[in-house]
Amino acid sequence: MNLDLFDEVDEQRRAAKLNRAFRKRKNIVIILDDVYGRLSLEKLGDPLGVEGCRLILTTCSYEVCLKMGCKKLLEVKKLNTDDAWELFTKSLGCETVLSPNIEKIAKKMAIKCEGLPLGLITLAGRMRGVTDIREWNNALTKL
C-alpha cells in the first residue's frame, strides 16, 4: 500500500489513512493470518466498507469466525502422516540434506505438528539449511 503508519499513534487517523488507501485500489485482498480474537475492522480502515475489498482471515478458532461475522468458512483438514512428511520435506527445500540421524528427529518434529500445514511449513522454514544435529535436537526439545 506504500503507507508509512509507523509514527501515527492516533487510531482514528491511522484508520482514515488506510481507508483512503483502500479506496484508491480497484480490487484488494487483505489477509489476516493466525487471528486469535475479534479484531476491530474500524481500526483497520474498515476494509469491508470499500467496494472490491475482500478480507481473508485464518484462525484455529471457530468462535473467532463467529465473532468476526465471517460469511464463508473453509476448514483446512489436518494432513495424514505421509502427506505431512512430504509437505515438511518440500518446505525444507532441496538445499537441506538430511542425514539419517537428523531425518529421525525431523520426522518426530513433523509428527508433533499433528498434520497442521501452517505448523509444518513454519517449522520447516526455521530448520531450512540447518545441518547440525544438536540444533535439530534443541528444536525438537523446544517443540
Side-chain angles (χ1 to χ4, degrees):
M1 301 284 301
N2 204 21
L3 286 176
D4 183 9
L5 301 173
F6 184 74
D7 293 329
E8 187 59 70
V9 293
D10 183 80
E11 287 181 358
Q12 289 181 337
R13 288 177 56 149
R14 184 173 51 237
K17 286 181 180 180
L18 282 167
N19 188 273
R20 281 191 299 276
F22 296 151
R23 290 183 187 284
K24 289 180 183 177
R25 309 277 181 166
K26 288 188 179 190
N27 292 304
I28 187 169
V29 176
I30 299 170
I31 301 172
L32 302 175
D33 189 26
D34 212 11
V35 177
Y36 282 96
R38 186 187 181 289
L39 297 174
S40 169
L41 295 180
E42 293 78 23
K43 290 181 182 180
L44 297 175
D46 193 21
L48 296 182
V50 177
E51 187 177 338
C53 187
R54 300 289 179 256
L55 179 66
I56 298 172
L57 66 88
T58 68
T59 181
C60 293
S61 169
Y62 179 72
E63 289 75 23
V64 168
C65 293
L66 294 176
K67 289 177 183 176
M68 292 294 295
C70 295
K71 292 180 182 175
K72 252 186 191 177
L73 300 180
L74 176 66
E75 182 180 356
V76 177
K77 303 284 186 194
K78 292 181 179 182
L79 300 174
N80 66 42
T81 305
D82 292 336
D83 290 341
W85 177 243
E86 183 180 342
L87 178 60
F88 187 84
T89 55
K90 281 184 179 178
S91 299
L92 274 175
C94 59
E95 67 274 3
T96 306
V97 179
L98 299 178
S99 70
N101 290 333
I102 290 178
E103 185 174 320
K104 289 177 189 175
I105 297 166
K107 283 185 176 181
K108 289 178 184 177
M109 293 172 82
I111 289 168
K112 284 193 176 257
C113 290
E114 298 179 346
L116 297 171
L118 180 60
L120 291 158
I121 292 167
T122 302
L123 183 59
R126 287 187 192 149
M127 300 309 294
R128 188 175 296 129
V130 176
T131 57
D132 186 336
I133 193 165
R134 292 173 295 192
E135 288 185 54
W136 282 88
N137 276 319
N138 287 339
L140 177 60
T141 301
K142 288 179 183 177
L143 188 61

